[in-house]
Amino acid sequence: MLWFPTECGESTDFERHGLLDAVRGAVDDGLITVVCVPSYDHASWSNRALPQGERARAHRRYEDWIIWHVVPFIRDRCGGRDDIAVAGPSMGAFHSVLFALRHAHVFRQAVAFSGAYDPWRWHAWGDADLDTYLTDPFEFLPGTDGGHLDFLRRTVDLTLVVGSGRWEDTTGAHASTRALAGVLAGKGIPHRLYVWGPEWPHDWPSWQAQAALYLPALG
């Protein structure tokens, strides 16, 4: 499992915030191997000095690094297995879903916690172009059809999780997660939506509990 951190997060966040402890049983039993990467958000989506097209192109450089460097490392580490899942919270959830939809031949499962999936809502400015289109699920999914849609329907399996507590509304995660589930349903792309109650905020304790429940099932 490839884990993406929260916005501008580090590869150490998974352990530092208790996620490793939450799934330690599954790791110790060999059900899942967790590989954590740092974000590139400071140079892409979180760089408000850049127009949206430049942010999207910076993200695609991050994609290239993941596909051409991180994925071979994972396959070598795991004996050549190609069943790599992606997961993450908040901005990491966006990355998980985007990588699964754009690279379903590599990442067939995604578990996304408290994500917001429309980059145009992140203090964006500038003109839309092909790169902004290709990195926004709300843009490219409605136009996905034909053989590629059939491939996604056969290949990917997305798990969307969001709470109903503090900051899930102000971050846009609650509404965006439900909206994405609606788009996926309209396209017949396999997914599950889990909405947790108001006692679960947009914060690490929620993601610890959710990770303990949903990540071991990847094994």
Side-chain angles (χ1 to χ4, degrees):
M1 183 196 75
L2 176 61
W3 177 267
F4 293 102
T6 56
E7 184 175 7
C8 297
E10 301 295 336
S11 58
T12 55
D13 290 351
F14 185 84
E15 182 175 10
R16 185 163 60 90
H17 289 287
L19 275 298
L20 180 58
D21 289 334
V23 299
R24 189 174 295 278
V27 172
D28 290 345
D29 291 342
L31 295 177
I32 57 174
T33 297
V34 182
V35 176
C36 303
V37 291
S39 73
Y40 192 61
D41 304 322
H42 65 282
S44 58
W45 302 117
S46 300
N47 188 346
R48 298 183 185 181
L50 295 179
Q52 193 73 343
E54 292 303 317
R55 298 186 206 184
R57 281 180 279 284
H59 168 83
R60 295 191 69 178
R61 292 194 292 272
Y62 183 60
E63 281 193 4
D64 287 343
W65 176 67
I66 294 291
I67 295 298
W68 297 110
H69 295 276
V70 177
V71 168
F73 168 82
I74 294 173
R75 287 175 172 163
D76 181 67
R77 175 83 176 239
C78 297
R81 293 180 59 176
D82 61 359
D83 52 339
I84 305 173
V86 281
S90 195
M91 183 73 85
F94 165 77
H95 287 303
S96 300
V97 166
L98 187 61
F99 269 86
L101 291 174
R102 281 180 45 79
H103 302 281
H105 60 293
V106 179
F107 307 110
R108 299 182 182 182
Q109 296 183 82
V111 182
F113 305 104
S114 302
Y117 302 99
D118 184 357
W120 280 104
R121 294 183 178 272
W122 304 339
H123 305 280
W125 60 278
D127 296 328
D129 58 26
L130 181 60
D131 289 305
T132 65
Y133 174 84
L134 292 174
T135 53
D136 186 339
F138 287 113
E139 291 289 329
F140 68 74
L141 272 179
T144 301
D145 214 335
H148 184 58
L149 179 59
D150 291 339
F151 176 72
L152 290 178
R153 287 170 173 168
R154 294 193 311 268
T155 305
V156 300
D157 183 13
L158 307 180
T159 299
L160 307 179
V161 187
V162 70
S164 303
R166 190 178 185 186
W167 304 307
E168 291 285 44
D169 55 350
T170 55
T171 59
H174 192 93
S176 190
T177 300
R178 286 182 174 273
L180 179 63
V183 175
L184 293 170
K187 287 295 182 177
I189 297 173
H191 69 285
R192 288 173 296 277
L193 171 64
Y194 298 103
V195 179
W196 288 37
E199 68 273 29
W200 300 100
H202 188 96
D203 205 357
W204 291 104
S206 300
W207 302 328
Q208 290 169 14
Q210 293 160 357
L213 184 61
Y214 299 115
L215 295 187
L218 296 172

